[in-house]
Amino acid sequence: MYTLPKIERFNQNVLSKYNIYNSVFITLPFDSIDNTGVLLPLFTEVCETGFKKQETPKEIIEFFSQKYLHSSVEADKIDLMFRFIQYIERQIVLFDAVEDAAFPIVNNMEGRGSLRDIKEKAEAKGKKEELIDFLENFNVRTVLTAHPTQFYPGSVLGIINDLTEAIRENKLLNIKHLLAQLGKTPFIKNEKPNPFDEAVSLIWYLENVFYNTSGDMVHYLQKNVFQGTSIQNPLIKLGFWPGGDRDGNPYVTTDITLKVAERLRTSILKCYYIEMRSLKRKLTFFNVDVLVTELEQKLYRSVFYSKGEIYITLDEFKAQLNKIKAIIIEQHQSLYLDELDALLIKVNLFGFHFATLDIRQNSRIHDAVFKDVFDYYLKSDASVFPENYYDLTEIEKFAVLSKVEGDLNPNDFENEITRSTIESIQAIKVIQENNGEFGANRYIISNNESALNVMETFALIRLSNWENPTVDVVPLFESVDDLLDAHNVMEKLYTNPMYAKHLVNRGMKQTIMLGFSDGTKDGGYLMANWSIYQAKEALTAISRQYGVDVIFFDGRGGPPARGGGKTHKFYASLGPNIENKEIQITVQGQTISSNFGTLDSCRHNLENLLSAGVTNQVFSKNKNILSSSEKEVMDHLANLGYQKYLSFKNHPKFIPYLEQMSTLKYYAKTNIGSRPSKRSKSAQLDFADLRAIPFVGSWSQLKQNVPGFYGVGTALKHYEDTDQWEKVQDLYDNSLFFKTLLENSMMSLAKSFFPLTAYMKKDPQFGEFWQIIYDEFLETKRLLLKIAGHTELMENYPDGKASIQIRERIVLPLLTIQQYALLRINELNKESVVDEKLIKVYEKIVTRSLFGNTNASRNSA
């Protein structure tokens, strides 16, 4: 029997099941959702019909109220809107669970991009030795961040997990009970989570998903590619930001950093303990059982009895496991060797750290901290810094910084930021003592603008009585200008004797982080992606020139506007002029739950990232190189898009539009995450301080998705108008990088819905501005369809398109309510007597609808 096409598998296993279970959900009697199940489908239909007739959200809701509600009292309408929101939030959860349950059926788990596919392709092409060499030197590092793009409390996450399992096994009674439980379980957190809460929430994914998936993947390769020989290279590394990411988050304290590191260690030891208990039931042989019991007891005491005390070291643990392995092979016919190897692989991957806790802080903070430290030494020890340090040239400053030594005490400083920054550096030492070097060995500098930013931060590390630090300083380049200058910054560091010595101590490896999110916010979609591509080429060239292995760490969000979309295609498209020995990416919010939330989706996406590296370095070596003429076209397109985006960003209505017509200010009111929505505390909205997540998320809530397409249409139109279309068409046909870039932009367009805000074109203040956005949307859509040869957006990804369409239909009533509430707030604010109490009610409606739409989009922010 042949396998059905992907879209048919999706329709059978996702769409049909959702409709069935949703009809069950509608009929369930909830105390707080009386009659909502009957009214919501009617409201959805009224919304769809209304927008087709070009009606406003206000007209749609007024019409529905008159036709279906017995009362026209505003309080009754508000009550129904809240009940609709509650219901839709749960429909989203149901659809997520159905989609997750069907993941291995809809997606071919052994198809293109899988480990099996890699192995068979290498054998068929006679490249098995090349593949082995690649796997011995390549790494995938997924770094989990707590950026605020998902809000489910633990109780709801548990229901989602149980519901997914019940749907997968078609346990109808269980499904009904779980849907009933879902209807009665609160979705809203009363308080913001603190960074430790966020860490605990994400550690669940480490314990329940990444631990098994990563181990199974390496085990498969060890058995089927390496023929049983142990892989020493930790192919899959995990990174972690909650508790270590201080950039703009005043709630990350040193105490929390240390608590999170301890929790990570306890969690991995717990995983090992559970596995040792399982092995104990099997390894009951002479000379083995005693050793297994000893290990089990030491792990048990380290997890459950210790107050930070460890009863076995990592080296002792590995040595004991290898001793058991040798006895099994020599005396017991290798019985259960496979299971023991599986544990050894995980110990090699995760050590006693589980995931590396990155410390991150902004360069602007470092500037202030360094000045404080300079002033301190000027008073206490004049030999450390010359009095005229700030009058010196950059080269002279480098000479001073290369010689500084000291033993800073955080308590000597009154300034809280200075004290906590020094403490965070010294916390790395403590974590390394307890969890091993990989517990915390990276210090990331956000908004890095110069080599001096790196040198002064490195000096702060050395001034913490750390002459040869076992820590990598990672500059994060984010703005367009900083990306273009990044290679010059790194050359200054590579040629500095002190920093060069540090690189020798670190194995001649330098990690450089590149920010997609802030790059797009700063320069628009085309320029951000092209600037990062160019920066990677220039950084690769300069690093190779000085014998440095550069590793790129990409700060990506969920949607295309923040570097998301078909991520693995980007890595497969890079070519040999961009170093690609590791793929390092941030994973956040709904992207964690949607791409790595289940064993199947985690395996599929990790294998695809690994496969992207293989494709680039083994199967398509020396391919995907952009010619000079192609680069010229790409550069011209990026600049055309950049100019269009800059004129848009500099429009006098840009900031007022976001403040008054979007949900931007409501992100600060949510309890989604611990981090504030902007870096500064000023009441005035400063674009530079605005976080990328609320910026991109606000456009998503409007269903306008500006950061994912704005400027693309204008850039392409230039080539159409000047009869040079064949240049961009050839680029699309021949460059996987450019094709992927435009395909991801199509996803942004597919998630847009301008009828929702079409009423704004009549607004006396913002009508013209709305029209500018809509015109660029139409032009971009027309030209993307033309270049792809499509009649509909995403027609080459029918299952992805279908998933988006269903999600958009589920949230359409939610978005209509949100726009209605925003309209009412504006109306109420203009009345002679302002009803503050009613405004607060409508503000709560906006915030609640923001939650549901964010979760439904899965990669909306």
Side-chain angles (χ1 to χ4, degrees):
M1 184 177 174
Y2 74 93
T3 304
L4 291 171
K6 199 171 184 181
I7 184 61
E8 289 188 38
R9 300 200 300 273
F10 178 88
N11 287 338
Q12 281 188 10
N13 295 279
V14 179
L15 181 57
S16 296
K17 281 191 175 182
Y18 171 72
N19 287 333
I20 291 166
Y21 297 137
N22 189 45
S23 65
V24 173
F25 190 38
I26 283 172
T27 61
L28 291 175
F30 300 127
D31 296 336
S32 60
I33 313 184
D34 181 42
N35 210 31
T36 310
V38 176
L39 289 174
L40 183 56
L42 295 172
F43 182 54
T44 302
E45 200 175 305
V46 168
C47 290
E48 288 176 333
T49 307
F51 286 124
K52 281 176 187 172
K53 292 180 186 175
Q54 300 183 335
E55 292 175 355
T56 70
K58 187 176 181 183
E59 288 168 341
I60 288 168
I61 286 183
E62 295 294 349
F63 170 79
F64 180 81
S65 302
Q66 288 168 12
K67 187 168 182 179
Y68 294 106
L69 290 186
H70 301 302
S71 166
S72 59
V73 178
E74 187 158 23
D76 291 338
K77 279 193 284 189
I78 288 170
D79 180 58
L80 184 63
M81 283 189 278
F82 273 118
R83 287 192 278 128
F84 278 163
I85 290 169
Q86 286 180 296
Y87 200 94
I88 294 164
E89 284 172 336
R90 288 152 177 80
Q91 283 183 311
I92 292 160
V93 166
L94 173 59
F95 186 75
D96 282 350
V98 171
E99 201 165 42
D100 287 345
F103 190 93
I105 301 168
V106 174
N107 297 277
N108 185 354
M109 300 296 288
E110 306 297 339
R112 184 182 299 175
S114 67
L115 294 186
R116 185 173 184 172
D117 175 56
I118 293 168
K119 170 187 169 288
E120 291 175 355
K121 200 178 284 183
E123 289 171 347
K125 295 189 174 188
K127 294 198 170 191
K128 193 170 179 183
E129 292 306 313
E130 274 188 71
L131 177 61
I132 289 172
D133 182 60
F134 166 83
L135 293 171
E136 285 175 339
N137 295 284
F138 184 79
N139 300 110
V140 169
R141 186 195 291 250
T142 51
V143 181
L144 306 189
T145 78
H147 292 349
T149 57
Q150 191 171 56
F151 77 97
Y152 292 138
S155 54
V156 175
L157 287 172
I159 295 170
I160 293 171
N161 193 54
D162 294 344
L163 188 57
T164 301
E165 284 302 310
I167 290 169
R168 186 176 284 136
E169 296 170 18
N170 287 316
K171 292 184 175 177
L172 296 177
L173 188 60
N174 282 14
I175 293 166
K176 190 172 181 180
H177 285 162
L178 286 163
L179 290 174
Q181 183 186 353
L182 193 65
K184 291 175 176 287
T185 302
F187 269 45
I188 303 304
K189 297 173 180 174
N190 293 323
E191 296 178 3
K192 276 181 178 285
N194 64 44
F196 184 72
D197 297 331
E198 292 170 331
V200 170
S201 178
L202 290 188
I203 287 170
W204 184 92
Y205 290 100
L206 297 182
E207 292 177 346
N208 293 281
V209 184
F210 282 94
Y211 177 77
N212 289 308
T213 305
S214 305
D216 288 349
M217 284 173 62
V218 177
H219 199 191
Y220 174 89
L221 290 169
Q222 192 166 291
K223 285 170 68 176
N224 296 285
V225 177
F226 285 73
Q227 306 303 324
T229 305
S230 295
I231 304 174
Q232 297 308 308
N233 172 40
L235 261 168
I236 297 162
K237 299 176 180 178
L238 302 176
F240 207 73
W241 275 18
D245 181 12
R246 291 170 173 261
D247 180 15
N249 193 340
Y251 307 110
V252 177
T253 63
T254 306
D255 181 55
I256 279 181
T257 300
L258 294 171
K259 273 178 68 181
V260 169
E262 186 177 343
R263 182 63 175 254
L264 284 164
R265 186 186 69 242
T266 305
S267 293
I268 191 60
L269 291 175
K270 185 171 72 175
C271 290
Y272 295 154
Y273 167 70
I274 291 166
E275 203 149 346
M276 280 307 303
R277 283 203 64 180
S278 175
L279 277 170
K280 186 181 177 184
R281 295 182 63 135
K282 296 172 181 176
L283 302 179
T284 52
F285 328 133
F286 180 67
N287 284 340
V288 171
D289 54 348
V290 178
L291 296 176
V292 171
T293 299
E294 185 185 344
L295 277 184
E296 183 216 11
Q297 288 174 350
K298 284 182 177 179
L299 287 170
Y300 181 82
R301 283 158 65 197
S302 299
V303 173
F304 299 107
Y305 278 144
S306 79
K307 291 183 179 176
E309 190 177 351
I310 302 298
Y311 292 87
I312 185 169
T313 68
L314 179 59
D315 287 339
E316 288 168 352
F317 188 31
K318 284 182 177 178
Q320 188 94 316
L321 288 174
N322 279 307
K323 186 177 178 182
I324 293 168
K325 181 176 178 178
I327 296 171
I328 288 172
I329 293 170
E330 291 165 13
Q331 300 177 23
H332 301 291
Q333 295 77 46
S334 298
L335 191 58
Y336 294 126
L337 180 62
D338 208 38
E339 287 86 341
L340 185 63
D341 270 342
L343 176 56
L344 272 163
I345 284 166
K346 287 164 187 162
V347 174
N348 187 44
L349 289 177
F350 307 123
F352 275 13
H353 64 280
F354 213 159
T356 300
L357 185 63
D358 289 341
I359 307 298
R360 184 172 77 133
Q361 186 53 281
N362 198 287
S363 66
R364 296 173 195 173
I365 298 293
H366 288 153
D367 289 343
V369 169
F370 190 83
K371 179 70 169 63
D372 215 3
V373 170
F374 168 78
D375 291 341
Y376 165 80
Y377 274 118
L378 222 54
K379 294 171 189 169
S380 63
D381 185 353
S383 67
V384 178
F385 291 104
E387 195 174 331
N388 66 337
Y389 173 80
Y390 280 98
D391 297 323
L392 301 176
T393 65
E394 187 178 63
I395 293 172
E396 289 170 335
K397 285 178 180 174
F398 279 14
V400 172
L401 295 169
S402 297
K403 295 172 185 172
V404 295
E405 291 179 354
D407 189 4
L408 288 171
N409 182 347
N411 295 322
D412 288 338
F413 296 89
E414 290 181 15
N415 186 292
E416 172 58 31
I417 292 289
T418 302
R419 193 164 59 245
S420 63
T421 301
I422 296 167
E423 282 178 352
S424 71
I425 291 168
Q426 296 177 2
I428 297 173
K429 275 186 178 181
V430 176
I431 294 167
Q432 288 192 4
E433 287 168 11
N434 295 329
N435 295 19
E437 185 188 319
F438 294 114
N441 65 352
R442 311 203 309 178
Y443 196 105
I444 300 163
I445 309 168
S446 302
N447 192 40
N448 196 94
E449 297 176 329
S450 67
L452 194 61
N453 287 155
V454 177
M455 290 296 287
E456 288 185 346
T457 303
F458 191 54
L460 289 174
I461 295 172
R462 294 176 73 246
L463 284 166
S464 293
N465 193 24
W466 209 348
E467 189 179 347
N468 294 309
T470 49
V471 59
D472 300 319
V473 182
V474 181
L476 165 53
F477 299 102
E478 299 180 83
S479 73
V480 171
D481 289 341
D482 291 342
L483 286 164
L484 292 176
D485 192 46
H487 63 290
N488 294 322
V489 169
M490 296 314 298
E491 185 170 25
K492 289 176 184 176
L493 295 171
Y494 294 159
T495 53
N496 177 268
M498 190 270 286
Y499 196 81
K501 181 188 171 190
H502 169 67
L503 285 175
V504 170
N505 292 339
R506 302 303 292 156
M508 292 304 285
K509 290 185 176 181
Q510 173 67 53
T511 302
I512 298 171
M513 190 171 178
L514 305 162
F516 281 79
S517 302
D518 283 287
T520 306
K521 181 170 84 79
D522 179 53
Y525 183 70
L526 284 176
M527 180 55 87
N529 282 278
W530 180 236
S531 295
I532 287 169
Y533 186 95
Q534 287 180 299
K536 283 186 175 181
E537 279 202 332
L539 287 164
T540 298
I542 203 72
S543 299
R544 287 173 179 172
Q545 183 182 326
Y546 290 98
V548 177
D549 284 333
V550 67
I551 297 160
F552 295 118
F553 175 22
D554 291 331
R556 295 178 178 273
R562 296 186 54 235
K566 302 288 180 184
T567 308
H568 61 278
K569 276 195 164 188
F570 267 118
Y571 291 109
S573 75
L574 294 179
N577 294 333
I578 291 177
E579 203 69 79
N580 196 26
K581 289 180 181 171
E582 287 198 29
I583 290 176
Q584 297 194 8
I585 57 169
T586 53
V587 191
Q588 55 201 280
Q590 312 96 311
T591 315
I592 297 174
S593 57
S594 62
N595 288 6
F596 301 95
T598 66
L599 292 170
D600 293 318
S601 62
C602 184
R603 177 192 148 194
H604 179 79
N605 284 290
L606 282 179
E607 288 188 8
N608 268 276
L609 285 172
L610 188 62
S611 171
V614 176
T615 300
N616 199 34
Q617 291 191 45
V618 179
F619 300 139
S620 299
K621 221 172 188 177
N622 300 321
K623 290 183 181 178
N624 296 318
I625 303 173
L626 289 172
S627 67
S628 56
S629 60
E630 287 174 329
K631 283 185 176 179
E632 199 176 304
V633 173
M634 190 67 235
D635 199 57
H636 189 217
L637 285 166
N639 275 293
L640 288 167
Y642 184 47
Q643 292 308 316
K644 179 70 174 176
Y645 180 75
L646 278 187
S647 68
F648 176 67
K649 197 170 75 169
N650 294 329
H651 194 288
K653 298 296 182 190
F654 184 83
I655 296 293
Y657 182 80
L658 279 174
E659 282 187 307
Q660 296 176 44
M661 306 302 279
S662 83
T663 57
L664 181 63
K665 63 185 177 185
Y666 294 93
Y667 274 86
K669 299 175 188 288
T670 65
N671 290 331
I672 296 176
S674 68
R675 196 171 68 170
S677 60
K678 56 193 180 82
R679 288 182 170 93
S680 73
K681 293 180 180 178
S682 65
Q684 190 74 23
L685 177 59
D686 181 350
F687 185 75
D689 284 331
L690 182 61
R691 291 277 181 192
I693 286 172
F695 175 70
V696 173
S698 297
W699 292 111
S700 172
Q701 296 286 328
L702 285 167
K703 304 312 291 179
Q704 293 176 357
N705 290 324
V706 162
F709 74 82
Y710 200 87
V712 175
T714 294
L716 291 173
K717 190 173 189 302
H718 172 84
Y719 280 80
E720 184 183 58
D721 289 346
T722 56
D723 295 324
Q724 299 180 79
W725 184 257
E726 73 282 352
K727 289 184 180 179
V728 290
Q729 189 66 60
D730 288 346
L731 186 61
Y732 180 85
D733 293 339
N734 298 316
S735 166
L736 183 60
F737 168 76
F738 186 57
K739 187 175 185 178
T740 304
L741 195 63
L742 295 194
E743 283 185 348
N744 281 343
S745 189
M746 286 187 208
M747 185 190 292
S748 292
L749 296 178
K751 290 187 172 186
S752 299
F753 184 65
F754 277 83
L756 178 72
T757 55
Y759 71 90
M760 292 182 189
K761 68 183 169 186
K762 294 177 182 175
D763 187 275
Q765 188 179 354
F766 297 109
E768 183 188 331
F769 188 75
W770 182 91
Q771 194 66 46
I772 290 170
I773 301 168
Y774 186 49
D775 289 345
E776 184 65 15
F777 166 81
L778 291 175
E779 201 68 318
T780 304
K781 181 179 177 181
R782 178 180 73 82
L783 291 168
L784 287 181
L785 291 175
K786 177 179 178 178
I787 204 167
H790 294 168
T791 55
E792 293 181 337
L793 294 168
M794 293 183 68
E795 69 178 48
N796 54 332
Y797 297 106
D799 58 312
K801 179 184 165 190
S803 177
I804 288 171
Q805 286 174 339
I806 297 166
R807 289 179 182 279
E808 295 300 311
R809 188 169 194 270
I810 293 171
V811 296
L812 184 61
L814 199 69
L815 294 165
T816 308
I817 289 168
Q818 183 183 92
Q819 284 299 314
Y820 176 77
L822 288 167
L823 281 162
R824 285 292 290 132
I825 290 166
N826 285 335
E827 286 175 354
L828 290 165
N829 277 318
K830 290 173 186 173
E831 289 182 357
S832 53
V833 180
V834 178
D835 189 339
E836 296 288 352
K837 191 175 178 183
L838 190 55
I839 286 173
K840 279 189 167 54
V841 172
Y842 278 111
E843 285 180 338
K844 189 176 179 183
I845 287 176
V846 174
T847 308
R848 287 291 307 277
S849 60
L850 187 152
F851 290 153
N853 185 39
T854 299
N855 283 311
S857 300
R858 279 206 163 183
N859 64 1
S860 63

